[in-house]
Amino acid sequence: MPIRFYNTLTNRLEDFNSVEPNVVRMYSCGPTVYDFAHIGNFRSFLFADLIRRFLEVQGYDVDHVMNITDVGHMTEDHLADGGGEDKMELAAQRLKEDKKSGKVPDGAIENPDDPYQVAQYFTDAFLGDARKLGLKIAFEYPEKIPHATNHIEDMQLMIAELLKNGHAYVGADQAVYYSVESFPNYGKLSGNSLDQLREGSGGRVEQKDQSNKKHPGDFLLWKPDQSHIMKWDSPWGTGYPGWHIECSVMAKKLLGRDVIDIHTGGEDLIFPHHECEIAQSCGTSGEESFARFWMHARFLLVEGEKMSKSKGNFFTVRDVLSGKVTGRDVHPAVLRYELLRSHYRSNMNFTEKGLRDSAGAVRKLTELNARLEEQTGGEAAQIDNSYPVVAEFLQALSDDLNISGALGCLFTWISQKPDNPHEALAALRIINKILDVAPMEHAQELADSEEASDAGGLDIKGLCQGIDAARANKDYAKADELRDQLQDAGYEVRNSPEGTVATKQLA
Ligand code: AMP
Ligand code: ZN
């Protein structure tokens, strides 16, 4: 069965073929790093991870790039020409308060007035969460996850080119704008016409002061602003780039092509962000399209409303995992599964019941995997993607990532109790390359590194063994001393049939 994906550009399902055989070049709009990413953001990122892992299992070599938006953009950036307050300044104020109240641990960020430190703080938090949730690209930082601030020069080159070829102009306020009237396809992705945009496109095109622009839909490429918290010299004055230009530039630079295969993001990015990316990229490349497939995830909702930073109704990954949301710890595999298991083109409601169901599903998969590993001694049979359950699983995903269909096939197969454990283990391993929940590919590595960094250089296992040895020698003072060391480092120390164990206590 051919792979079919829904293309926002054409509003229909289309057979997927890559520009170059066996290679897929894919770009995903990444996080803004003025705050912690919430699980709604991660729904969009995991959707991209699902596409990537699925295509890899289908034999494609997937070159995946995702940006970090760390330029100090404005709160009104969703409007075509920006405005509002500087997000980085707002983040600095928040961080200063959090530092005072102890919410931000000592040493985590030295100077919140330095926007680069703020951006790195939230970038590290994002990467930590993303790795826990098994986002493959998060293990490819920084090569495949570029910071926008490292590409300002290339943004200026692209802006200069757009000025040269008549797609951009300098407005009366000295800012550089893209002229939407110069690009006949502007509006094609979002289904907007230039007339609709003139009317304000449902409030998403700024209407306040249009005297600087030729058309209300014209959007910002460069804003001269000496007072901005992050600013760079440019031929158009010291200032900062518009939001959209970074993705056009980094996609082209890191993926090395004018036309890429897939571009992803959440549904709110269709307009204006992706519409503007297309105008900029095609405006410089002269190509008909920038990405062949535009794929968008629908929102994660809480009680029927979009989960968003501005509404304040959001949960971060760390809050969910540490039990702050549901009152009990949630394993990263469970949150990953929960965010992946409903179709990306339907809204998903985040509920405790959903998480409980996902925990049950992940437990089933984990137990099956453990049983098969034990029965086979870890020796899987040689099978390929035509093996029945694998073929069915992949066939469902080939139909525009029909994940419920795919999971349905998997659990039906499990309930039928597969009789050849070597083949079953092999099948589960292939499927788990996509699901990455039982077990998670990087779980051990992350646990080890977390243990090492949390322990501040303490040898946890060694200390536990030391306690056992001291007790065996009836040297209780020594045992107590070692136990105190562990407890001071935030570990809970318990006796178990295997001897002393120490577990990191959750904050
Ligand atoms: P941001 O950090 O706000 O730029 O968002 C990063 C990504 O998350 C973008 O692709 C957004 O479209 C996406 N996004 C934001 N809110 C949600 C949500 N509630 N559900 C799904 N995706 C979202
Ligand atoms: Zn983008």
Side-chain angles (χ1 to χ4, degrees):
M1 178 180 169
I3 297 171
R4 293 191 312 168
F5 290 144
Y6 187 87
N7 191 351
T8 310
L9 189 61
T10 54
N11 281 323
R12 57 184 175 82
L13 287 166
E14 285 178 40
D15 284 357
F16 175 78
N17 290 301
S18 52
V19 177
E20 197 179 310
N22 306 321
V23 180
V24 171
R25 294 189 169 81
M26 171 160 135
Y27 186 90
S28 301
C29 291
T32 44
V33 284
Y34 318 109
D35 206 339
F36 296 107
H38 57 66
I39 57 172
N41 301 135
F42 274 100
R43 180 181 202 217
S44 291
F45 303 143
L46 283 169
F47 145 70
D49 189 64
L50 178 66
I51 300 177
R52 171 190 179 154
R53 287 170 177 268
F54 164 64
L55 290 172
E56 283 177 348
V57 167
Q58 292 282 18
Y60 286 101
D61 189 358
V62 182
D63 193 358
H64 188 196
V65 169
M66 180 191 224
N67 64 307
I68 297 272
T69 300
D70 58 349
V71 175
H73 285 303
M74 310 299 278
T75 48
E76 307 291 313
D77 248 355
H78 58 290
L79 298 172
D81 55 354
E85 290 175 87
D86 187 313
K87 290 181 186 174
M88 203 60 96
E89 273 173 19
L90 292 175
Q93 282 165 20
R94 255 194 340 263
L95 277 176
K96 275 190 236 172
E97 278 159 29
D98 287 353
K99 238 183 125 161
K100 260 194 227 146
S101 69
K103 257 203 220 160
V104 173
D106 269 351
I109 178 162
E110 257 172 47
N111 177 14
D113 284 321
D114 175 354
Y116 288 91
Q117 284 193 30
V118 174
Q120 197 57 51
Y121 175 74
F122 288 116
T123 300
D124 291 342
F126 164 75
L127 290 169
D129 292 345
R131 287 176 184 152
K132 274 204 183 121
L133 291 188
L135 222 74
K136 218 166 172 177
I137 198 167
F139 295 90
E140 298 167 345
Y141 175 81
E143 294 76 22
K144 299 292 173 186
I145 309 191
H147 286 249
T149 48
N150 287 335
H151 296 272
I152 302 289
E153 224 177 284
D154 287 298
M155 294 185 213
Q156 294 183 353
L157 288 175
M158 188 176 264
I159 295 169
E161 214 177 321
L162 289 169
L163 279 165
K164 202 165 126 205
N165 66 21
H167 284 297
Y169 62 93
V170 178
D173 58 351
Q174 301 306 309
V176 187
Y177 292 101
Y178 190 102
S179 163
V180 293
E181 286 161 313
S182 75
F183 185 66
N185 278 343
Y186 194 81
K188 199 171 158 205
L189 180 74
S190 54
N192 275 307
S193 67
L194 288 184
D195 284 343
Q196 280 167 334
L197 290 176
R198 200 178 286 285
E199 299 303 314
S201 184
R204 291 196 291 166
V205 172
E206 179 64 281
Q207 292 292 304
K208 273 182 244 154
D209 178 12
Q210 296 301 340
S211 56
N212 297 314
K213 303 199 293 184
K214 293 181 183 168
H215 184 283
D218 291 352
F219 58 90
L220 194 67
L221 294 170
W222 189 266
K223 176 103 174 164
D225 183 354
Q226 287 283 358
S227 65
H228 198 67
I229 190 168
M230 280 170 134
K231 51 181 185 283
W232 296 265
D233 289 340
S234 89
W236 318 287
T238 302
Y240 61 96
W243 167 30
H244 317 298
I245 193 80
E246 67 181 69
C247 290
S248 287
V249 164
M250 290 187 279
K252 180 174 166 142
K253 195 165 170 201
L254 277 96
L255 293 170
R257 291 289 185 281
D258 283 324
V259 184
I260 61 172
D261 295 297
I262 302 176
H263 195 312
T264 75
E267 59 177 315
D268 56 339
L269 297 188
I270 298 172
F271 185 85
H273 187 52
H274 288 166
E275 197 72 80
C276 298
E277 280 189 35
I278 294 173
Q280 297 162 155
S281 295
C282 296
T284 42
S285 70
E287 296 281 350
E288 265 289 294
S289 66
F290 165 31
R292 305 226 321 208
F293 279 78
W294 287 86
M295 297 177 70
H296 295 97
R298 299 287 295 273
F299 288 141
L300 177 77
L301 309 177
V302 212
E303 286 161 21
E305 272 207 77
K306 177 195 172 192
M307 178 174 287
S308 79
K309 285 173 198 165
S310 55
K311 286 202 187 101
N313 62 346
F314 67 91
F315 303 130
T316 60
V317 171
R318 48 204 60 213
D319 283 351
V320 175
L321 299 185
S322 67
K324 276 197 193 132
V325 176
T326 56
R328 72 174 82 99
D329 293 0
V330 173
H331 192 282
V334 171
L335 183 55
R336 175 178 167 88
Y337 187 95
E338 174 66 5
L339 293 174
L340 276 179
R341 75 181 171 119
S342 43
H343 191 243
Y344 75 96
R345 283 197 295 119
S346 313
N347 283 127
M348 178 200 155
N349 222 347
F350 181 70
T351 61
E352 264 191 74
K353 161 134 189 2
L355 267 183
R356 271 200 306 276
D357 292 347
S358 288
V362 170
R363 197 176 318 116
K364 251 192 198 164
L365 293 169
T366 311
E367 283 169 4
L368 174 66
N369 178 63
R371 201 167 58 241
L372 293 173
E373 287 281 354
E374 197 184 308
Q375 282 172 353
T376 59
E379 282 208 16
Q382 290 285 337
I383 61 165
D384 61 22
N385 289 354
S386 64
Y387 188 81
V389 65
V390 177
E392 285 167 30
F393 189 87
L394 294 178
Q395 184 163 355
L397 290 182
S398 298
D399 182 14
D400 194 29
L401 302 175
N402 175 4
I403 185 77
S404 356
L407 293 172
C409 299
L410 174 62
F411 283 101
T412 304
W413 171 71
I414 294 176
S415 67
Q416 289 164 351
K417 306 211 177 344
D419 53 9
N420 182 327
H422 298 273
E423 289 179 4
L425 180 63
L428 195 59
R429 281 185 183 170
I430 297 177
I431 288 170
N432 197 47
K433 277 188 194 161
I434 298 175
L435 292 181
D436 195 27
V437 292
M440 294 185 88
E441 195 184 345
H442 293 284
Q444 194 52 50
E445 184 190 319
L446 287 174
D448 290 348
S449 72
E450 196 164 88
E451 187 165 291
S453 69
D454 285 357
L458 282 187
D459 174 7
I460 304 300
K461 257 195 211 126
L463 285 168
C464 289
Q465 285 164 357
I467 293 173
D468 292 338
R471 281 188 184 144
N473 292 333
K474 300 206 167 22
D475 185 353
Y476 298 112
K478 177 82 186 161
D480 286 351
E481 183 198 318
L482 299 178
R483 190 202 54 209
D484 289 349
Q485 270 191 48
L486 282 165
Q487 282 176 341
D488 289 348
Y491 282 77
E492 187 191 0
V493 183
R494 285 181 294 110
N495 293 321
S496 83
E498 286 78 39
T500 302
V501 285
T503 23
K504 180 83 185 154
Q505 278 186 305
L506 291 158

